[in-house]
Amino acid sequence: MRRLLNTLYVTMPDSYLACDGENVLIRLENEVKFRVPVHNLEGIVCFGFAGASPKLMSLCCERGVSLSFLTEYGKFMARVTGKVSGNVVLRRTQYRWADDAEKSNRLARRFIAAKIVNSRALLHRALRDHVDVVEIEPLEKAVALMAGMIPRLEQAESGDVIRGIEGEAANVYFSNFNQMLLTQKETFRLNNRNRRPPTDPINALLSFLYTLLAHESGAALESVGLDPQVGFLHRDRPGRASLALDLMEELRPHFADRLALTLVNRRQITGKGFVTKENNAVIMDDETRKEVLTAWQKRKQEEITHPYLGEKIPLGLVPYAQAMLLARHLRGDLEDYPPFFWK
């Protein structure tokens, strides 16, 4: 298992990224505000429209450091990468499997089964740990409904049916999401899941965390030689990292949803940290975004025992571990793909 490196998040829109030898520099008004050795980084994510020198881009490509540009809303704009690496045989296998309905559907079932199980685990945790403040009957019903979806999922023979079951599960899950909000219930109430753009604080928070997770998933897939654009559950669409979206399905509840609930329930963020724009889009202000990014980085350092590998690893390496297991399955080293089930 590789070493967990850092991701540098640049949130100052007027900053300019450059390099000095093997060091990454952040400059603001011609003054160096931050310096870090490139070998300590696995990725750089820029929010807003920070510029970057061609020399820095070249350094990142040479050292395998992903460099991504996002809008202030967290919408993905571009990623700078070097020449395609990895095993061409592995990628050709990936492309053949993506065109094979049976193989694609089997992997899609694995991704969605883990998503349902992990989402259900969050609801069950609220029922177990906060029985005195939650509505027991709706939560018990939701937990039972989601458990019953797994056998149906295993019998699903088409991608449309699999996606339909996933939609049912998401509806049950998000219909009960407010039960897991223990504080600031009115400010962060989830009336419905919306995005592009999010129109309330909880959707803005979830969308931002999902963007971070998508970046981690895409980088993990590229690191093991897979093509993030070609998925099995999410079908091909220009500009969409379909396999990264596949991989992050099973990771959303534990990585993003749980962190969002923690930030709200512990009052690490409040409604005052969100701004409504002219088009009714809701975004985080700079201080709230920094708080969320700090919590995200801290969470990645937490150690867990991987349910399949049986090894203790930082949570931030789970996307890499799952990408590695998927690559092993495609190569024929594993009989099946073991998704990430959170216990």
Side-chain angles (χ1 to χ4, degrees):
M1 190 61 64
R2 71 175 188 179
R3 184 165 61 100
L4 178 63
L5 299 175
N6 298 306
T7 300
L8 174 63
Y9 296 99
V10 184
T11 59
M12 297 177 292
D14 297 326
S15 58
Y16 184 79
L17 275 69
C19 65
D20 177 16
E22 294 288 305
N23 295 301
V24 176
L25 309 180
I26 298 179
R27 288 178 177 159
L28 189 61
E29 297 178 352
N30 294 321
E31 181 182 349
V32 176
K33 294 290 187 179
F34 186 77
R35 174 190 297 262
V36 60
V38 70
H39 64 259
N40 287 339
L41 298 175
E42 63 180 357
I44 302 173
V45 181
C46 302
F47 291 90
F49 298 95
S53 71
K55 189 175 180 181
L56 172 74
M57 294 181 188
S58 175
L59 177 66
C60 288
C61 291
E62 290 174 5
R63 299 294 182 269
V65 176
S66 63
L67 175 59
S68 300
F69 296 93
L70 285 67
T71 68
E72 61 177 328
Y73 302 98
K75 179 182 177 182
F76 176 81
M77 297 294 290
R79 178 184 292 117
V80 178
T81 58
K83 58 185 179 182
V84 175
S85 61
N87 189 334
V88 65
V89 177
L90 174 63
R91 292 198 180 213
R92 285 176 62 86
T93 300
Q94 176 188 353
Y95 301 150
R96 285 195 295 268
W97 282 32
D99 290 333
D100 185 311
E102 183 179 346
K103 286 184 169 62
S104 287
N105 291 338
R106 180 170 54 79
L107 284 169
R109 284 194 292 269
R110 299 295 179 268
F111 298 135
I112 296 306
K115 180 181 182 180
I116 293 174
V117 169
N118 293 337
S119 298
R120 179 177 176 270
L122 266 185
L123 295 177
H124 189 269
R125 187 167 181 257
L127 190 61
R128 181 195 66 203
D129 295 348
H130 305 289
V131 67
D132 54 332
V133 295
V134 300
E135 297 178 41
I136 296 175
E137 187 175 343
L139 273 181
E140 287 182 337
K141 183 179 179 181
V143 167
L145 279 172
M146 294 178 78
M149 293 177 187
I150 302 300
R152 289 172 51 206
L153 185 66
E154 287 303 311
Q155 298 300 317
E157 296 183 354
S158 75
D160 288 340
V161 173
I162 294 169
R163 286 183 282 272
I165 295 173
E166 187 274 334
E168 285 182 52
N171 184 57
V172 171
Y173 174 69
F174 283 116
S175 294
N176 288 273
F177 192 86
N178 292 328
Q179 290 263 48
M180 296 183 285
L181 293 173
L182 307 179
T183 64
Q184 307 186 83
K185 288 177 175 288
E186 290 305 316
T187 302
F188 288 95
R189 178 172 295 279
L190 180 72
N191 295 316
N192 61 284
R193 179 77 184 108
N194 59 68
R195 54 200 177 103
R196 298 176 187 171
T199 56
D200 55 61
I202 190 63
N203 276 294
L205 176 59
L206 289 172
S207 292
F208 185 76
L209 291 171
Y210 292 159
T211 296
L212 297 179
L213 182 56
H215 174 270
E216 303 273 352
S217 300
L221 291 164
E222 287 182 339
S223 74
V224 300
L226 290 168
D227 186 343
Q229 302 292 317
V230 180
F232 304 105
L233 171 67
H234 294 83
R235 307 314 296 170
D236 294 350
R237 183 183 298 173
R240 181 165 76 175
S242 295
L243 188 59
L245 296 178
D246 286 358
L247 183 65
M248 69 181 279
E249 291 291 359
E250 63 193 78
L251 305 178
R252 285 178 193 252
H254 193 50
F255 273 73
D257 299 354
R258 190 178 176 193
L259 179 57
L261 290 165
T262 297
L263 288 167
V264 173
N265 289 336
R266 292 182 180 176
R267 300 182 186 274
Q268 291 175 252
I269 61 173
T270 68
K272 294 179 180 179
F274 292 81
V275 180
T276 302
K277 308 293 281 188
E278 293 81 2
N279 61 350
N280 291 323
V282 174
I283 63 171
M284 289 177 273
D285 63 21
D286 290 343
E287 288 304 313
T288 299
R289 187 186 295 116
K290 289 176 184 177
E291 182 70 34
V292 174
L293 289 171
T294 299
W296 175 264
Q297 290 287 67
K298 186 176 179 181
R299 181 148 174 71
K300 285 168 59 179
Q301 300 294 333
E302 294 178 8
E303 276 204 344
I304 65 162
T305 299
H306 192 280
Y308 179 80
L309 298 173
E311 297 179 22
K312 281 191 173 183
I313 62 172
L315 190 63
L317 283 185
V318 170
Y320 170 75
Q322 294 308 122
M324 179 184 65
L325 291 170
L326 180 58
R328 287 181 180 178
H329 175 49
L330 287 166
R331 284 196 294 262
D333 298 334
L334 289 176
E335 186 175 346
D336 204 346
Y337 168 68
F340 178 75
F341 290 107
W342 171 50
K343 297 181 179 178

